[in-house]
Amino acid sequence: MTAAPLSAAHYRVLIVEDDATIAGNLYSFLEARGFVPDAAYDGRAALALLTSQHFDAVILDVGLPGMDGYGVLRALRKEHMLPVPVLMLTARDELQDKLAGFSHGADDYLTKPFALAEVEARLHALIQRANGAVATPVRRCGPLSYDSRRRAVAVDGQAVHLTRKSCMILDALLRDPGRVVPRPELESLLWGSEPPSSDALRSQVHLLRKALADAGFDGIETVHGTGWRLVCPQGGAA
């Protein structure tokens, strides 16, 4: 039996990041997506929160002042025996750095710069795994299907080739069909805090809409002055 999709509502996530801009972007994005975020800006403050409160997941930067991310992990796993899922963030992309993170008890790893949509997807996967849920990477809206693990899109079983940014937009729309995804949220997903121009997002949505329409799917609706939403046939979202 396939487990029902998990909602982000009420999942508490601790963001441990000393860069105020990155921490703020993560906080705002996760809060908008239904998580309940909190933040710490150094390792010792993070440990104080983690050992006194419940969190469903932790986003942990490696390069923290004082006690670094590895030190936080060691304390979490060996001293306090806390199994909370940990997603590590770092600017270091060498294999040895990733292996060091996993050896200290990290559950997943992302290198900077990263897409906020990917952070959300990895958090969902970590929380589902910790809760014993079986996650399915395939989401559907009528004849449209999207396998987020393989970034494979199909309409009526026929493959549709999309760019990476088109896949990111589609993924955001498919997470909650019928919900209007605001323009600022999509811009943040694709470009962080600095979108290249006011028309850049509109162009990306146009490319996605055209590719899907050419394949026979026309379910992306523009909500003027607000954003976009995915409209599925009745009972067609999964």
Side-chain angles (χ1 to χ4, degrees):
M1 183 175 69
T2 301
L6 292 177
S7 166
H10 309 307
Y11 283 137
R12 297 197 65 206
V13 176
L14 180 63
I15 301 162
V16 188
E17 167 64 67
D18 65 318
D19 185 309
T21 299
I22 294 175
N25 287 340
L26 284 166
Y27 192 106
S28 298
F29 172 75
L30 292 176
E31 187 173 47
R33 298 300 292 152
F35 292 87
V36 181
D38 201 345
Y41 301 97
D42 63 71
R44 299 195 183 283
L47 273 179
L49 286 170
L50 288 165
T51 54
S52 62
Q53 301 180 33
H54 169 77
F55 290 92
D56 296 286
V58 182
I59 300 173
L60 178 63
D61 184 36
V62 170
L64 298 169
M67 178 186 290
D68 67 10
Y70 298 141
V72 173
L73 269 176
R74 282 194 299 271
L76 276 181
R77 302 306 193 215
K78 295 184 178 180
E79 295 175 29
H80 301 285
M81 306 297 287
L82 288 174
V84 58
V86 175
L87 171 61
M88 294 206 77
L89 299 180
T90 180
R92 308 168 188 174
D93 59 0
E94 296 295 329
L95 176 60
Q96 62 194 38
D97 295 313
K98 296 181 181 180
L99 292 177
F102 288 127
S103 70
H104 284 91
D107 296 278
D108 203 354
Y109 207 105
L110 265 181
T111 56
K112 301 175 183 178
F114 51 82
L116 292 171
E118 187 171 4
V119 173
E120 181 190 13
R122 289 176 184 258
L123 284 176
H124 273 293
L126 289 176
I127 294 170
Q128 285 177 326
R129 191 181 308 143
N131 289 343
V134 179
T136 173
V138 180
R139 294 194 293 279
R140 294 181 173 84
C141 176
L144 172 69
S145 67
Y146 175 56
D147 185 332
S148 58
R149 186 176 299 156
R150 299 186 298 116
R151 284 186 180 164
V153 181
V155 174
D156 284 326
Q158 299 298 310
V160 179
H161 299 289
L162 299 179
T163 65
R164 180 174 176 272
K165 281 187 169 58
S166 288
C167 282
M168 292 170 68
I169 295 170
L170 180 60
D171 184 77
L173 294 171
L174 268 170
R175 287 188 180 280
D176 192 0
R179 169 183 174 261
V180 178
V181 182
R183 168 185 290 273
E185 184 175 320
L186 287 177
E187 288 179 335
S188 179
L189 283 174
L190 269 61
W191 298 289
S193 60
E194 298 182 0
S197 74
S198 59
D199 291 327
L201 179 58
R202 188 180 295 111
S203 297
Q204 291 294 332
V205 173
H206 172 75
L207 290 174
L208 170 60
R209 179 179 272 150
K210 183 178 186 307
L212 295 178
D214 288 347
F217 180 82
D218 189 21
I220 297 178
E221 180 180 282
T222 300
V223 181
H224 293 288
T226 305
W228 293 266
R229 66 183 166 200
L230 201 62
V231 180
C232 303
Q234 188 170 5

